[in-house]
Amino acid sequence: MADEALATGRPAAGHMTGTRELSRRRIGVPDIVFFVVAASSPLTVAAGGLPMSYATTGVLGVPVIYLILAVVLGTFSAGYAAMSRHISNAGAFYSYIAQGLGRVSGVGASFVALVAYNAMQVGLYGLFGFAASGLISSELGVDVPWWATSLVALVLIAFLGYRRIDLNAKVLAVLLVCESLTVLVFDISQVSSAPAGLSGEPFTWGALTTGAVGAGFCWVMASFMGFESGAIYSEECRDPRRTVSRATYIAVAVIGVFYAFTAWAMAMGTGVDKIIDAAGENGPDLVFVLGGRTLGPAFATLTQTFMVTALFAALLSFHNAVARYFFALGREGVLPKGLGLAHPRHGSPHLGSLTQTVIAALVVLGFGMSGGDPTNTLFNWFTNLGALGVILLLVVTSVSVLGFFRRRGRGENGWSRVVAPALSGAALAVVLVLAVVNFDALLGTPPDSVLNWLIPGLVLIAGVVGLAYGVWLRGSRPAVYAKIGHGADAAQDG
């Protein structure tokens, strides 16, 4: 059985009711990069994130913020990649923190991760439904409720989540190439036709220090969400010791440089002195307005179409991440053990995928039937909740890298073991504080709105509940507690 699994890259055929291992050796560096970059969604950032960054903060130096955060996250990736060379677990943050700071902390982190990634994935259904129904209405003249198009996407994503990981990677590759080329064509058209000429001012210190720079860092950080998800696929890649680290570095570089270039190109398309006002006046339509001016009216239709497919790709990427968290926690008995079964033929976390699908369906239907706003409420609230949770996990993971290598002292250099995680942890802690302080700017709410502390409070509550549950497991279920954070090896021992 073991030889068959090794040769085919999938669980042995005899495990007809499921296996505790995901399919092996299915994906490589490019595949993981597709998953990671698709989660951040270049076209969604260009159409939504960049105009909002300029408009709500008044910071001209948005391009340089992308480069600064790329350096910070690249530094974080040094310690993160070092951990990936010693730990291969679909639970990623959960496993890293459990082995670096202790099992109770790991369970607390797992609850934050489940809330954060589910919130990101479910929130995207609001924007997807809004964009898809708008496209159908404008092109076909048929009015379709946003939640109906979201449910169609949900069914397709459920099907793909049930299937092999390499099929998902192929779908993401096609969708990501289409949206990335669209953004690149837009960028080139803006640079080529810059009405006021080209300028390097958006990359200067003076541009960085104008406006609400703290809120600017928060908006830009949201564009990187998903960069850390490469480790989630470590059990399914061909060479975990190298694939995850390479994919993470590549993803951070691609996101940082590409989005900085797009932000700069957008400023060139309006003129440096007009980008703030143009973003405030046009909002997400700025890409369509500028692109229509330089590329013609057909560009708007093409971009709207690829906007829908880009959001689908982001939904699929986050769905796969959530399904694997459910799988990792079920396999070790932290959650019901049924979640820890992989499909006997596809090697997919099919029950974790089904669980995420049910959660998303209930939220989408709830918002749809109650007349909830798919963008300002479902998308805005949920994705900002998710982003805040991920930033918190990045900070804690930096500390866990220090703890892991302090106790084990395994062959990594001092930069990866100590310096990089310490520097990135401090920098990311500043970003976390800025995110909490400027949460009203992210939500678009008044400074005294209850949402400004209620939504961040949900992240804290998730962590506290997880910590309490971890303490309970330690005292009441010691066999389960002993396996926490140790993945397939612990499951086989049990």
Side-chain angles (χ1 to χ4, degrees):
M1 292 295 183
D3 291 340
E4 176 189 348
L6 185 62
T8 62
R10 62 177 183 269
H15 294 279
M16 298 308 294
T17 59
T19 174
R20 295 290 178 184
E21 293 188 19
L22 299 169
S23 59
R24 300 283 181 169
R25 301 183 182 181
R26 282 290 179 186
I27 54 177
V29 171
D31 301 308
I32 294 182
V33 172
F34 291 142
F35 275 103
V36 172
V37 179
S40 70
S41 187
L43 189 51
T44 304
V45 170
L50 290 180
M52 291 298 290
S53 299
Y54 280 122
T56 61
T57 68
V59 175
L60 179 60
V62 169
V64 76
I65 295 179
Y66 273 101
L67 298 181
I68 291 172
L69 283 180
V71 172
V72 171
L73 296 178
T75 303
F76 167 85
S77 299
Y80 195 62
M83 289 283 276
S84 75
R85 288 190 281 272
H86 301 280
I87 301 173
S88 178
N89 191 318
F93 282 141
Y94 154 69
S95 180
Y96 288 7
I97 293 171
Q99 295 200 39
L101 296 179
R103 292 174 172 83
V104 171
S105 298
V107 177
S110 73
F111 276 45
V112 172
L114 285 176
V115 169
Y117 283 116
N118 270 295
M120 293 288 287
Q121 207 269 351
V122 173
L124 284 169
Y125 275 114
L127 186 57
F128 175 90
F130 178 81
S133 61
L135 179 64
I136 293 172
S137 177
S138 63
E139 296 302 314
L140 302 179
V142 178
D143 291 330
V144 180
W146 70 267
W147 53 266
T149 57
S150 291
L151 290 178
V152 171
L154 185 144
V155 171
L156 293 174
I157 288 170
F159 170 76
L160 290 169
Y162 181 81
R163 301 293 297 238
R164 287 190 338 223
I165 185 68
D166 48 334
L167 173 62
N168 286 254
K170 290 182 175 66
V171 171
L172 284 176
V174 173
L175 299 180
L176 184 60
V177 167
C178 289
E179 68 168 303
S180 297
L181 286 176
T182 301
V183 175
L184 185 59
V185 169
F186 167 81
D187 293 347
I188 293 172
S189 74
Q190 300 310 299
V191 173
S192 301
S193 61
L198 302 181
S199 169
E201 185 179 351
F203 291 102
T204 65
W205 178 258
L208 177 64
T209 54
T210 60
V213 66
F217 271 89
C218 298
W219 275 110
V220 171
M221 186 66 192
S223 302
F224 283 89
M225 289 299 100
F227 88 94
E228 77 295 335
S229 59
I232 294 173
Y233 307 99
S234 60
E235 295 184 41
E236 298 162 277
C237 63
R238 298 188 184 99
D239 184 0
R241 288 184 59 83
R242 295 180 176 85
T243 301
V244 172
S245 59
R246 290 175 181 173
T248 302
Y249 281 123
I250 291 171
V252 169
V254 168
I255 293 172
V257 174
F258 189 21
Y259 293 3
F261 178 68
T262 301
W264 175 74
M266 189 174 287
M268 297 304 99
T270 61
V272 172
D273 59 338
K274 297 179 180 178
I275 179 61
I276 305 296
D277 292 337
E281 178 182 349
N282 295 283
D285 289 332
L286 183 59
V287 165
F288 306 122
V289 171
L290 294 177
R293 188 195 69 194
T294 56
L295 297 167
F299 175 80
T301 301
L302 181 66
T303 305
Q304 284 180 311
T305 302
F306 284 142
M307 179 74 170
V308 173
T309 61
L311 288 167
F312 182 88
L315 282 165
L316 180 59
S317 181
F318 279 112
H319 174 86
N320 275 281
V322 174
R324 280 155 181 79
Y325 264 102
F326 277 129
F327 170 82
L329 292 167
R331 178 173 58 187
E332 295 176 14
V334 176
L335 293 182
K337 288 190 174 182
L339 292 172
L341 288 175
H343 192 275
R345 182 156 61 97
H346 301 305
S348 62
H350 60 302
L351 295 177
S353 172
L354 176 62
T355 302
Q356 202 287 321
T357 299
V358 171
I359 292 171
L362 290 174
V363 176
V364 169
L365 284 172
F367 268 81
M369 296 301 98
S370 64
D373 189 321
T375 55
N376 291 328
T377 302
L378 180 55
F379 171 71
N380 199 18
W381 292 5
F382 277 58
T383 54
N384 278 300
L385 167 63
L388 192 64
V390 172
I391 297 172
L392 173 61
L393 290 171
L394 293 176
V395 174
V396 179
T397 299
S398 294
V399 179
S400 75
V401 174
L402 295 171
F404 180 82
F405 287 112
R406 180 179 62 82
R407 292 196 302 271
R408 290 164 176 80
R410 308 186 182 188
E412 304 290 340
N413 58 44
W415 167 255
S416 299
R417 289 186 293 107
V418 180
V419 179
L423 290 176
S424 62
L428 289 166
V430 172
V431 174
L432 178 63
V433 172
L434 289 173
V436 174
V437 171
N438 293 276
F439 212 68
D440 58 327
L442 298 177
L443 293 180
T445 53
D448 59 349
S449 172
V450 68
L451 294 173
N452 298 335
W453 59 265
L454 178 60
I455 293 178
L458 293 176
V459 175
L460 179 62
I461 290 171
V464 170
V465 171
L467 291 172
Y469 182 51
V471 171
W472 180 82
L473 287 174
R474 182 172 59 192
S476 301
R477 301 180 64 188
V480 169
Y481 183 79
K483 300 175 184 178
I484 288 174
H486 289 76
D489 293 337
Q492 290 171 353
D493 293 340

